[in-house]
CSV table of all heavy atoms in Angstrom, one decimal:
chain,number,residue,atom,x,y,z
A,9,ARG,N,12.5,4.1,-12.1
A,9,ARG,CA,12.4,2.9,-11.3
A,9,ARG,C,12.1,3.2,-9.8
A,9,ARG,O,11.3,2.4,-9.2
A,9,ARG,CB,13.7,2.1,-11.5
A,9,ARG,CG,13.9,1.4,-12.8
A,9,ARG,CD,15.1,0.4,-12.8
A,9,ARG,NE,16.3,1.1,-12.8
A,9,ARG,CZ,17.0,1.4,-14.0
A,9,ARG,NH1,16.5,1.0,-15.2
A,9,ARG,NH2,18.2,2.0,-14.0
A,10,GLU,N,12.8,4.2,-9.3
A,10,GLU,CA,12.5,4.6,-8.0
A,10,GLU,C,11.0,5.1,-7.8
A,10,GLU,O,10.3,4.7,-6.8
A,10,GLU,CB,13.4,5.8,-7.5
A,10,GLU,CG,13.2,6.3,-6.1
A,10,GLU,CD,13.4,5.1,-5.1
A,10,GLU,OE1,14.2,4.3,-5.3
A,10,GLU,OE2,12.7,5.2,-4.1
A,11,ALA,N,10.5,5.8,-8.8
A,11,ALA,CA,9.1,6.2,-8.8
A,11,ALA,C,8.2,5.0,-8.8
A,11,ALA,O,7.2,4.9,-8.1
A,11,ALA,CB,8.8,7.1,-9.9
A,12,ALA,N,8.6,4.0,-9.6
A,12,ALA,CA,7.8,2.8,-9.7
A,12,ALA,C,7.8,2.0,-8.4
A,12,ALA,O,6.8,1.4,-7.9
A,12,ALA,CB,8.3,1.9,-10.8
A,13,ARG,N,9.1,2.0,-7.8
A,13,ARG,CA,9.2,1.3,-6.5
A,13,ARG,C,8.3,2.0,-5.4
A,13,ARG,O,7.6,1.4,-4.6
A,13,ARG,CB,10.6,1.2,-6.1
A,13,ARG,CG,11.5,0.3,-6.8
A,13,ARG,CD,12.8,-0.1,-6.1
A,13,ARG,NE,13.7,1.1,-6.2
A,13,ARG,CZ,14.5,1.4,-7.2
A,13,ARG,NH1,14.7,0.5,-8.2
A,13,ARG,NH2,15.3,2.5,-7.1
A,14,GLN,N,8.4,3.4,-5.4
A,14,GLN,CA,7.5,4.2,-4.4
A,14,GLN,C,6.1,4.0,-4.7
A,14,GLN,O,5.3,3.8,-3.7
A,14,GLN,CB,7.9,5.6,-4.6
A,14,GLN,CG,7.2,6.6,-3.7
A,14,GLN,CD,7.6,6.3,-2.2
A,14,GLN,OE1,8.7,5.9,-1.9
A,14,GLN,NE2,6.6,6.6,-1.3
A,15,GLN,N,5.7,3.9,-5.9
A,15,GLN,CA,4.3,3.6,-6.2
A,15,GLN,C,3.8,2.2,-5.8
A,15,GLN,O,2.8,2.1,-5.2
A,15,GLN,CB,4.1,3.7,-7.7
A,15,GLN,CG,2.6,3.7,-8.1
A,15,GLN,CD,2.4,3.9,-9.6
A,15,GLN,OE1,3.3,3.7,-10.4
A,15,GLN,NE2,1.2,4.2,-10.1
A,16,ALA,N,4.8,1.2,-6.0
A,16,ALA,CA,4.5,-0.1,-5.5
A,16,ALA,C,4.3,-0.1,-4.0
A,16,ALA,O,3.4,-0.8,-3.4
A,16,ALA,CB,5.6,-1.1,-6.0
A,17,ARG,N,5.2,0.7,-3.3
A,17,ARG,CA,5.1,0.7,-1.9
A,17,ARG,C,3.8,1.3,-1.4
A,17,ARG,O,3.2,0.9,-0.4
A,17,ARG,CB,6.4,1.5,-1.2
A,17,ARG,CG,7.6,0.6,-1.3
A,17,ARG,CD,8.7,1.3,-0.4
A,17,ARG,NE,9.1,2.6,-0.9
A,17,ARG,CZ,10.1,2.8,-1.7
A,17,ARG,NH1,10.8,1.8,-2.1
A,17,ARG,NH2,10.4,4.1,-2.1
A,18,GLU,N,3.4,2.4,-2.0
A,18,GLU,CA,2.2,3.1,-1.7
A,18,GLU,C,1.0,2.1,-2.0
A,18,GLU,O,0.0,2.1,-1.2
A,18,GLU,CB,2.1,4.3,-2.5
A,18,GLU,CG,3.1,5.4,-2.1
A,18,GLU,CD,3.1,6.7,-2.9
A,18,GLU,OE1,2.3,6.7,-3.9
A,18,GLU,OE2,3.7,7.6,-2.6
A,19,LEU,N,1.1,1.4,-3.1
A,19,LEU,CA,0.0,0.5,-3.4
A,19,LEU,C,-0.1,-0.6,-2.3
A,19,LEU,O,-1.2,-1.0,-1.9
A,19,LEU,CB,0.2,-0.1,-4.8
A,19,LEU,CG,0.0,0.8,-5.9
A,19,LEU,CD1,0.4,0.1,-7.2
A,19,LEU,CD2,-1.5,1.2,-6.0
A,20,ASP,N,1.1,-1.1,-1.9
A,20,ASP,CA,1.1,-2.1,-0.8
A,20,ASP,C,0.5,-1.6,0.4
A,20,ASP,O,-0.3,-2.2,1.2
A,20,ASP,CB,2.5,-2.6,-0.6
A,20,ASP,CG,3.0,-3.4,-1.7
A,20,ASP,OD1,2.3,-3.9,-2.5
A,20,ASP,OD2,4.3,-3.6,-1.8
A,21,ARG,N,0.9,-0.3,0.8
A,21,ARG,CA,0.4,0.4,2.0
A,21,ARG,C,-1.2,0.5,1.9
A,21,ARG,O,-1.9,0.3,2.8
A,21,ARG,CB,1.0,1.7,2.2
A,21,ARG,CG,0.5,2.5,3.4
A,21,ARG,CD,0.8,1.9,4.6
A,21,ARG,NE,0.3,2.7,5.8
A,21,ARG,CZ,0.2,2.2,7.0
A,21,ARG,NH1,0.4,0.9,7.3
A,21,ARG,NH2,-0.3,3.0,8.0
A,22,LEU,N,-1.7,1.0,0.7
A,22,LEU,CA,-3.1,1.1,0.5
A,22,LEU,C,-3.8,-0.2,0.7
A,22,LEU,O,-4.9,-0.2,1.3
A,22,LEU,CB,-3.3,1.7,-0.9
A,22,LEU,CG,-4.8,2.0,-1.3
A,22,LEU,CD1,-5.4,3.0,-0.3
A,22,LEU,CD2,-4.8,2.5,-2.7
A,23,ALA,N,-3.2,-1.2,0.1
A,23,ALA,CA,-3.9,-2.5,0.2
A,23,ALA,C,-3.9,-3.0,1.7
A,23,ALA,O,-4.9,-3.5,2.2
A,23,ALA,CB,-3.1,-3.6,-0.6
A,24,GLU,N,-2.8,-2.7,2.4
A,24,GLU,CA,-2.8,-3.1,3.8
A,24,GLU,C,-3.9,-2.2,4.6
A,24,GLU,O,-4.6,-2.8,5.5
A,24,GLU,CB,-1.4,-2.7,4.4
A,24,GLU,CG,-1.3,-3.1,5.9
A,24,GLU,CD,-1.3,-4.5,6.2
A,24,GLU,OE1,-1.0,-5.3,5.2
A,24,GLU,OE2,-1.7,-4.9,7.3
A,25,LEU,N,-4.0,-0.9,4.3
A,25,LEU,CA,-5.0,-0.1,4.9
A,25,LEU,C,-6.5,-0.6,4.6
A,25,LEU,O,-7.4,-0.6,5.4
A,25,LEU,CB,-4.9,1.3,4.5
A,25,LEU,CG,-3.7,2.1,5.0
A,25,LEU,CD1,-3.6,3.4,4.3
A,25,LEU,CD2,-3.8,2.2,6.5
A,26,GLU,N,-6.6,-1.1,3.3
A,26,GLU,CA,-7.9,-1.6,3.0
A,26,GLU,C,-8.2,-2.9,3.7
A,26,GLU,O,-9.3,-3.1,4.2
A,26,GLU,CB,-8.0,-1.9,1.5
A,26,GLU,CG,-8.0,-0.6,0.7
A,26,GLU,CD,-7.9,-0.9,-0.9
A,26,GLU,OE1,-7.7,-2.0,-1.2
A,26,GLU,OE2,-8.2,0.0,-1.7
A,27,ARG,N,-7.2,-3.7,3.9
A,27,ARG,CA,-7.4,-4.9,4.7
A,27,ARG,C,-7.8,-4.6,6.1
A,27,ARG,O,-8.7,-5.2,6.8
A,27,ARG,CB,-6.2,-5.8,4.6
A,27,ARG,CG,-6.0,-6.5,3.3
A,27,ARG,CD,-5.0,-7.6,3.3
A,27,ARG,NE,-3.7,-7.2,3.7
A,27,ARG,CZ,-2.8,-6.8,2.9
A,27,ARG,NH1,-3.1,-6.8,1.6
A,27,ARG,NH2,-1.6,-6.3,3.3
A,28,PHE,N,-7.0,-3.6,6.7
A,28,PHE,CA,-7.3,-3.2,8.1
A,28,PHE,C,-8.7,-2.6,8.2
A,28,PHE,O,-9.4,-2.9,9.2
A,28,PHE,CB,-6.2,-2.2,8.5
A,28,PHE,CG,-6.4,-1.7,9.9
A,28,PHE,CD1,-6.0,-2.5,11.0
A,28,PHE,CD2,-6.9,-0.4,10.1
A,28,PHE,CE1,-6.3,-2.0,12.3
A,28,PHE,CE2,-7.2,0.1,11.4
A,28,PHE,CZ,-6.8,-0.7,12.5
A,29,GLN,N,-9.1,-1.8,7.2
A,29,GLN,CA,-10.4,-1.2,7.2
A,29,GLN,C,-11.5,-2.2,7.2
A,29,GLN,O,-12.4,-2.2,8.0
A,29,GLN,CB,-10.5,-0.2,6.1
A,29,GLN,CG,-11.8,0.6,6.1
A,29,GLN,CD,-11.9,1.5,4.9
A,29,GLN,OE1,-11.3,1.3,3.9
A,29,GLN,NE2,-12.7,2.6,5.1
A,30,ARG,N,-11.3,-3.2,6.3
A,30,ARG,CA,-12.2,-4.3,6.2
A,30,ARG,C,-12.4,-5.0,7.5
A,30,ARG,O,-13.5,-5.3,8.0
A,30,ARG,CB,-11.9,-5.2,5.1
A,30,ARG,CG,-12.2,-4.7,3.7
A,30,ARG,CD,-12.2,-5.8,2.7
A,30,ARG,NE,-10.9,-6.4,2.6
A,30,ARG,CZ,-9.9,-6.0,1.8
A,30,ARG,NH1,-10.1,-5.0,1.0
A,30,ARG,NH2,-8.8,-6.6,1.7
A,31,LEU,N,-11.2,-5.3,8.2
A,31,LEU,CA,-11.2,-5.9,9.4
A,31,LEU,C,-11.9,-5.1,10.5
A,31,LEU,O,-12.7,-5.6,11.3
A,31,LEU,CB,-9.8,-6.3,9.9
A,31,LEU,CG,-9.6,-7.0,11.2
A,31,LEU,CD1,-10.3,-8.4,11.2
A,31,LEU,CD2,-8.1,-7.2,11.5
A,32,THR,N,-11.6,-3.8,10.5
A,32,THR,CA,-12.2,-2.9,11.5
A,32,THR,C,-13.6,-2.8,11.4
A,32,THR,O,-14.5,-2.8,12.4
A,32,THR,CB,-11.5,-1.6,11.4
A,32,THR,OG1,-10.1,-1.7,11.6
A,32,THR,CG2,-12.1,-0.6,12.5
């Protein structure tokens, strides 16, 4: 479950980076 939560956090971070990249 912790690994799943960590993966979810990483996916959220990646999505945020992708949004920032698109904006940049």
